[in-house]
Amino acid sequence: MGASNHHTLSALVENRPGVLSRVAGLFTRRGFNIDSLAVGPTERADRSVITIRVDCTRHSVEQVVKQLYKLVDVIDVYEVPAEAAIERELLLIKVQADAERRSEVMKLAELFDARVADVGQTTLLLECVEHPDRLASFEELLAPYGIVEAIRTGRVAMLRASAPEGESKSRLRVMG
Amino acid sequence: MSTQTESAIAKARARTGRMNGAEAIIRSLEAEGVEICWGIPGGAILPLYDAFMACEHTVQHVLVRHEQGAGHMAQGYARATGRVGVCIATSGPGATNLVTPIADAFLDSTPMVAITGQVPTHLIGTDAFQEADITGIVMPIVKHSFLVQTVEDIPRAMKAAFHIASSGRPGPVLVDIPKDLQLTEFDFAWPDEVDLPGYDTDWISGVDQDAVDAAADLIARSRKPVLYVGGGVINAEATDELILLAEALQVPVTTTLLAKGAFPDSHPLSVQMPGMHGSKYANWTMHRSDLLITIGARFDDRVTGKLDAFAPGAKIIHFDIDPAEISKNRSADVSLIGHLNETLPALRDAVLAHKNDERIRHQIDWLNEVQGWRRENPFRYRRGGDTLKPEYVMEAFDKALRGKDAIWVTGVGQHQMWAAQYLTIDGPRRWITSGGLGTMGFGVPAAIGAQQACPDAYVVNIDGDGCFQMTMQELATARCYDVPAIHAVINNGWLGMVRQWQELFHGERYSETDLFGTIPDFVQLAEAYGCLALRAETEAEADAVIAEAIAARRPTVIDFRVDREEKVYPMVPAGSASHEMLDETWENEWVEEGV
């Protein structure tokens, strides 16, 4: 997977109309590859956080960060190092599971701390909040049963509560 | 037209009172010291134009004939003065006509504020008459944009727009203001400061001494250094500091198309323009160099040619104001973000502290080598006999205005390159050209804006016949406001630069580039616009019309009927290494060995 080329960036932005377009447009225009992007409110009403998983095979992560900083609505950009962070993603997945196989699928769900969100005649809708890598394994194990549809939210990341202050959350203010 | 005095600006900033949003826009312009702006009225911007007439104010509005003209005039003004250029348009088509100048200002880092009317807030998103999502359209080509949401936000957005456009690396900012907000009354007060938590330029100030010392150390160990100078020097007003640095270093200086005038062309250390149509000696100097001291330049493809083959043996020092330019195209060994008028003196001090006789000895050899290339490979052309060569027109203009305060403006194409090669520009803001975007049609309006900024200067727009036809309607603006810029049309009846590529790289298939026979009579056309109209077909006629035009001090068009076949040389074919240049064959040609 070449994991070393993938970086998780957390951009603190002003909660204003058009901010997401500006960030997304920047990635398109500069040819940066996004693996995933999640946006949501923060503890402050006037701030949002955009979490971007970026593939830096063609560009340096420094160049991505510098370009993000040029957007007036972007206040701060942090790289969130995987080893010091909790990374989570929500998966909603609808799996073929008739009466015969239902308990089998539910047992698997239990192993992954997934919840049954809805039950149909022939399908189960599961929800799971986990590390994205674990979600991938979960999906893989469910595949043989027949996946009807699956959606993921994109990852969000936060430094561990136990992470030493100031050491791991590296504010990427690139001075040239 | 006079510059707003400090006291007038202070008075405007102290103003408070009840007014509508339209008047607030004008009060904001006054508070920013804006003396002139360009635009065309229309439905969604009507309240602003009403306020221009209804209230007393100090802002001159210039009515243009096409919004693109307003944008380029604002650019011409901004490039000639360093101040923010302001253009105004209505919603929809008015706003979209500003897109090209906005993109041009973005690529050439020109400070500009574009004010557009927008349909009333309750109609936004309904595909209303003349509605266009202009903030969405310009998103990739502005430094920032505002869609104003409440009337109280108008002064805040205006102040922020001017601050963003003019600080850091300058650029265009668009402020889109719905019509109903222009009509809404509120209590106006000019904000004391801008609230932009994501836009911090304070950190750019100051000098990182470690980086300066590292740069000085690289210079001390270098044998073949060259100053590679870009337009950032002009934006930073750092010409004097650059000259002092260059003279302390005694190294050759190349100036990019945008940097022409940042270092005097006639200075003995100047090797002029590098790149696709640059001098051979500039390109060879860069190619052979072991250290590029890059100052406010960005390793553009028109300079570097094939990037992998550009200056292969050189280490890179990169001084700039924009961190995103460092190591974007070429990785830097030492970089320093800062204001060039602070960082260049710091570098000079550090270099002077490194007394190094050996370095100086090597550099004398290097300078001699560069001067040798220069002596043997000047810009040159063959005089035309019966035909008028475009290069001759450049030399004649250059001679005629030498020693006068001249501002040279160009369109884009062959004439632009001949102008860059043959005109001597010795000071900043006296050469105004569309570099990054390469906008044909830039010349006529940009020259008008530059002339309105500097009424006493001799402004000459070196234009092409293709370019001229893209924005020539602004001759009406020139006539209405008596703007005496000279528009010198280098008329070869071709879209000449495209034709040159077709001749050299597309098997002489001149697809859709021949304009001959379809061009209007430019003399009759200029007369119809009320301009002085002149024509030259020989060198003697060229000399005569140039003298007449310079003496006339009124809007003037000259139709120079030049040699149709002339090409711009030297030339680095697109994608080639920058030292591999095409040229005509010259007797006793000096061939560079082993490059």
Side-chain angles (χ1 to χ4, degrees), chain B residues 186-231:
Chain B
F186 76 119
D187 293 315
F188 174 88
W190 187 243
D192 292 331
E193 47 191 52
V194 286
D195 177 33
L196 295 166
Y199 184 76
D200 174 18
T201 51
D202 294 343
W203 67 275
I204 297 169
S205 297
V207 176
D208 173 1
Q209 195 57 44
D210 290 347
V212 170
D213 291 340
D217 190 50
L218 277 185
I219 291 168
R221 286 187 280 134
S222 158
R223 298 291 173 253
K224 299 184 170 191
V226 53
L227 274 159
Y228 160 33
V229 172

Side-chain angles (χ1 to χ4, degrees), chain B residues 284-304:
Chain B
W284 287 341
T285 302
M286 302 272 256
H287 186 74
R288 284 284 188 87
S289 169
D290 65 359
L291 179 65
L292 302 191
I293 309 166
T294 311
I295 312 291
R298 60 183 177 89
F299 296 89
D300 175 75
D301 60 274
R302 283 297 189 266
V303 167
T304 64

Side-chain angles (χ1 to χ4, degrees), chain B residues 324-437:
Chain B
E325 288 302 343
I326 307 298
S327 301
K328 183 183 78 177
N329 291 342
R330 174 75 179 254
S331 165
D333 297 281
V334 173
S335 66
L336 179 57
I337 298 302
H339 295 291
L340 294 175
N341 51 9
E342 295 175 358
T343 54
L344 295 185
L347 180 60
R348 177 171 174 267
D349 292 345
V351 167
L352 289 176
H354 265 90
K355 274 275 174 228
N356 185 334
D357 294 339
E358 196 195 359
R359 173 181 76 83
I360 290 166
R361 209 167 48 245
H362 280 289
Q363 283 184 199
I364 288 168
D365 292 345
W366 170 232
L367 272 179
N368 285 336
E369 191 177 5
V370 171
Q371 290 305 336
W373 293 333
R374 180 182 177 140
R375 257 193 320 278
E376 303 294 330
N377 298 271
F379 288 120
R380 54 187 153 181
Y381 68 100
R382 293 192 172 85
R383 295 283 281 273
D386 288 344
T387 61
L388 177 60
K389 292 285 183 147
E391 297 93 332
Y392 180 85
V393 178
M394 305 303 154
E395 289 184 329
F397 257 120
D398 194 55
K399 215 178 294 164
L401 284 172
R402 189 68 63 83
K404 292 198 164 74
D405 182 20
I407 299 177
W408 304 92
V409 183
T410 79
V412 170
Q414 287 183 309
H415 63 279
Q416 176 192 32
M417 292 296 112
W418 286 315
Q421 292 177 340
Y422 288 93
L423 295 176
T424 310
I425 314 290
D426 279 340
R429 307 200 178 283
R430 289 301 176 259
W431 166 257
I432 298 171
T433 195
S434 168
L437 195 67

Side-chain angles (χ1 to χ4, degrees), chain B residues 496-512:
Chain B
M497 187 58 92
V498 181
R499 181 206 175 276
Q500 175 165 338
W501 284 52
Q502 289 171 331
E503 179 179 335
L504 297 173
F505 313 118
H506 295 274
E508 302 184 30
R509 288 181 298 282
Y510 300 117
S511 175
E512 304 289 359

Side-chain angles (χ1 to χ4, degrees), chain B residues 112-136:
Chain B
M112 183 162 93
V113 168
I115 299 166
T116 49
Q118 181 55 277
V119 301
T121 41
H122 71 277
L123 289 179
I124 290 179
T126 66
D127 303 318
F129 177 65
Q130 293 196 328
E131 181 184 1
D133 172 15
I134 193 63
T135 51

Side-chain angles (χ1 to χ4, degrees), chain A residues 34-149:
Chain A
I34 304 180
D35 291 338
S36 87
L37 183 148
V39 58
T42 65
E43 73 283 2
R44 280 184 61 169
D46 58 345
R47 301 275 189 273
S48 299
V49 162
I50 302 179
T51 310
I52 309 151
R53 181 81 172 160
V54 58
D55 174 358
C56 291
T57 310
R58 279 187 54 225
H59 295 87
S60 67
V61 69
E62 282 80 10
Q63 187 57 217
V64 177
V65 170
K66 286 169 173 177
Q67 292 293 345
L68 276 171
Y69 265 118
K70 286 179 76 166
L71 298 177
V72 171
D73 288 336
V74 172
I75 298 163
D76 267 324
V77 183
Y78 303 93
E79 175 158 15
V80 191
E83 63 278 5
I86 300 295
E87 295 180 280
R88 288 294 179 269
E89 193 168 4
L90 167 65
L91 167 74
L92 289 178
I93 189 163
K94 202 178 285 166
V95 191
Q96 293 285 4
D98 52 18
E100 231 170 85
R101 319 187 76 171
R102 192 172 293 152
S103 61
E104 225 177 291
V105 172
M106 285 174 67
K107 206 165 278 169
L108 195 56
E110 220 169 281
L111 281 174
F112 281 84
D113 290 326
R115 235 173 54 89
V116 176
D118 196 25
V119 184
Q121 291 289 341
T122 58
T123 58
L124 274 179
L125 200 172
L126 305 173
E127 64 173 73
C128 185
V129 175
E130 252 303 350
H131 189 280
D133 292 348
R134 242 174 100 74
L135 290 181
S137 331
F138 187 37
E139 271 193 71
E140 214 171 282
L141 289 166
L142 288 172
Y145 298 93
I147 294 170
V148 181
E149 59 179 318

